[in-house]
Amino acid sequence: MRKVYLDHAATTPLHTEVFAAMKPYFTEHYGNPSSVYAIGREARKAVDEAREKVAAALGAEPQEIIFTSGATESNNLAIRGTARALQHKGKHIITCAVEHHAVLDTCLALQKEGFEVTVLPVDEYGLVSVKDLETALREQTILVTIMMANNEVGTVMPTAEIGRLCQERGIVFHTDAVQAIGKLPVDVNELHVDLLSLSAHKFYGPKGIGALYVRKGTRLSSYHFGGAQERKIRPGTENVPGIVGLGKAIELATSQMEEKNKRIKALRDKLKDGVLAIPHTRLNGHPERRLPGNLNVSILYVEGESLILSLDLKGIAVSSGSACTSGSLDPSHVLLAMGLDHQTAHGSLRFTLGDDNTEEEIDYVLEVLPEIVARLRSMSPVYEGNK
Ligand SMILES: Cc1ncc(COP(=O)(O)O)c(C=O)c1O
């Protein structure tokens, strides 16, 4: 059966060059980077080189990069670490309604511990307003955490403007840049960010490795204790093959980024035009300010889950706007925050294209999807054509 993978926002395949770079660090160069003899020094050198690559990709200094197990940990560390370090100054944190749960739930956990959290609304396109943020800022605000680009609808936030505002007010600004790496220019100085999270498997690197950028001078408390690794902020023996893989992946993802994204965007637009030609469909997210590979649509009178299963039978992998990862079929909090009703949110599909997708694959999706939608609608008691 054909296999068409269109869920690159969930994860990406490991790039062959990344795999090749990692391999020796499982078998040959297996030393502990903290050991002083040669094989340990080799591992240390590899970790140092990877740190330089990550820093270079972000316009940062190598000592500002902390390796973690992925963006979930980076987001937790950034938010909890700032809250703990700055609680003497104030206990107010600002985030927004369409953040990933790794940010939202961390903020809500802090709320239970006595912090005050403002969750900014978004507009119909999933955009946060800088004016709303400015109004929400208080004397006691210690942290603003707002993502660079949304993982579900692909909307790109006004990150540099938010960063500038926070910088003027002396407030720490964290951004979850997971979906932006390799798709948008990410320079920590141009964006005025103090903390930035990323995860390697979203840009053709390995799973279980990520990083947190921590601007020099930013106060951050650790909640892990043990060794002196990662400046004691994230102690524990380094995941050397993973770190090497992250370094290689970010280097590849940020090289020839514009050409790659131009090609992906053209395919995405073809898919968009074809899908929106199906009656009773709508685009979710911003028409222009969106990630090049993201297409999120609502297909009315069908359940997103039924669509996913039918597409899966045809070898096509996409995801829906239901929070199926949490084991519930509740509609996505992102789509609801954008004002979609439950039914429209339930019928949503997310296609996220990547480097290897071809025009032929898009043609195949556009061939099978209308048939699937027509079949599911023919069984729907709510579809107006059946009334
Ligand atoms: C925006 C965003 N933040 C955080 C994460 C969590 O990343 P990880 O699962 O690699 O920790 C994801 C993954 O889906 C994401 O899309």
Side-chain angles (χ1 to χ4, degrees):
M1 190 174 58
R2 288 179 78 131
K3 278 213 171 95
V4 181
Y5 185 73
L6 293 171
D7 202 14
H8 292 81
T11 197
T12 54
L14 192 67
H15 195 296
T16 49
E17 283 183 48
V18 174
F19 189 38
M22 291 171 70
K23 260 201 232 165
Y25 292 92
F26 286 107
T27 49
E28 262 172 81
H29 311 305
Y30 50 81
N32 185 323
S34 300
S35 301
V36 292
Y37 40 77
I39 198 166
R41 292 199 307 272
E42 274 170 14
R44 165 65 51 212
K45 187 162 168 275
V47 169
D48 289 346
E49 283 173 6
R51 199 185 305 281
E52 280 166 20
K53 287 180 183 167
V54 176
L58 304 177
E61 297 295 325
Q63 63 274 19
E64 296 176 310
I65 305 300
I66 303 289
F67 291 118
T68 65
S69 63
T72 300
E73 185 186 340
S74 296
N75 287 342
N76 271 266
L77 175 58
I79 298 165
R80 295 197 80 93
T82 304
R84 186 177 293 182
L86 299 184
Q87 56 188 329
H88 62 281
K89 283 179 70 180
K91 288 191 140 196
H92 181 230
I93 294 170
I94 301 177
T95 186
C96 84
V98 295
E99 293 294 316
H100 189 273
H101 282 294
V103 166
L104 273 182
D105 293 359
T106 306
C107 290
L108 296 180
L110 284 170
Q111 198 168 31
K112 289 200 183 113
E113 292 169 27
F115 285 82
E116 265 190 273
V117 178
T118 299
V119 181
L120 295 175
V122 292
D123 69 9
E124 61 185 307
Y125 301 123
L127 263 184
V128 87
S129 135
V130 181
K131 272 245 149 316
D132 284 354
L133 170 63
E134 199 166 0
T135 312
L137 291 175
R138 302 181 197 162
E139 196 64 27
Q140 304 78 21
T141 309
I142 50 168
L143 172 69
V144 171
T145 172
I146 293 185
M147 68 198 332
M148 244 190 109
N150 187 268
N151 47 305
E152 292 189 33
V153 293
T155 299
V156 177
M157 296 291 190
T159 309
E161 282 172 79
I162 296 172
R164 206 171 304 117
L165 177 62
C166 292
Q167 196 175 48
E168 278 165 20
R169 304 290 181 92
I171 296 166
V172 174
F173 175 41
H174 165 248
T175 193
D176 174 343
V178 165
Q179 299 290 340
I181 304 289
K183 291 157 203 141
L184 301 172
V186 180
D187 181 299
V188 291
N189 295 317
E190 281 171 17
L191 296 172
H192 312 284
V193 299
D194 301 302
L195 300 159
L196 178 145
S197 304
L198 57 88
S199 199
H201 72 106
K202 306 288 185 175
F203 48 90
Y204 307 92
K207 294 172 182 57
I209 185 76
L212 179 67
Y213 158 77
V214 184
R215 183 178 292 280
K216 197 165 162 240
T218 307
R219 293 191 54 195
L220 197 68
S221 290
S222 173
Y223 53 92
H224 284 135
F225 300 91
Q229 294 93 343
E230 302 303 290
R231 296 196 283 123
K232 286 193 168 176
I233 294 175
R234 208 287 192 164
T237 302
E238 297 88 339
N239 171 0
V240 181
I243 290 171
V244 169
L246 167 56
K248 185 71 190 169
I250 204 163
E251 189 179 57
L252 291 171
T254 50
S255 70
Q256 293 160 357
M257 192 171 83
E258 274 180 36
E259 290 95 305
K260 282 186 281 193
N261 285 329
K262 212 170 139 196
R263 197 188 75 83
I264 290 173
K265 186 174 176 294
L267 288 180
R268 189 276 313 271
D269 287 343
K270 177 173 183 167
L271 181 64
K272 179 180 80 177
D273 293 344
V275 175
L276 293 181
I278 299 172
H280 309 295
T281 50
R282 56 159 276 165
L283 178 71
N284 296 321
H286 201 282
E288 283 108 36
R289 286 188 70 111
R290 70 186 304 140
L291 293 171
N294 175 291
L295 174 65
N296 190 308
V297 288
S298 284
I299 301 183
L300 297 186
Y301 312 114
V302 286
E303 290 284 324
E305 296 306 306
S306 315
L307 280 169
I308 287 182
L309 295 177
S310 302
L311 286 166
D312 186 34
L313 289 173
K314 298 279 185 187
I316 301 167
V318 299
S319 80
S320 82
S322 294
C324 43
T325 46
S326 61
S328 93
L329 288 180
D330 290 343
S332 135
H333 69 285
V334 173
L335 297 178
L336 294 183
M338 287 161 52
L340 269 71
D341 59 47
H342 274 57
Q343 200 203 341
T344 311
H346 260 308
S348 74
L349 275 189
R350 179 188 71 177
F351 301 87
T352 43
L353 284 67
D355 290 350
D356 298 330
N357 289 129
T358 62
E359 189 156 7
E360 211 198 336
E361 291 178 332
I362 301 306
D363 289 337
Y364 174 60
V365 176
L366 292 177
E367 184 191 314
V368 301
L369 184 63
E371 292 166 10
I372 292 173
V373 172
R375 183 173 54 78
L376 292 174
R377 280 184 180 160
S378 73
M379 298 185 292
S380 163
V382 289
Y383 182 47
E384 53 198 31
N386 298 335
K387 284 184 189 161

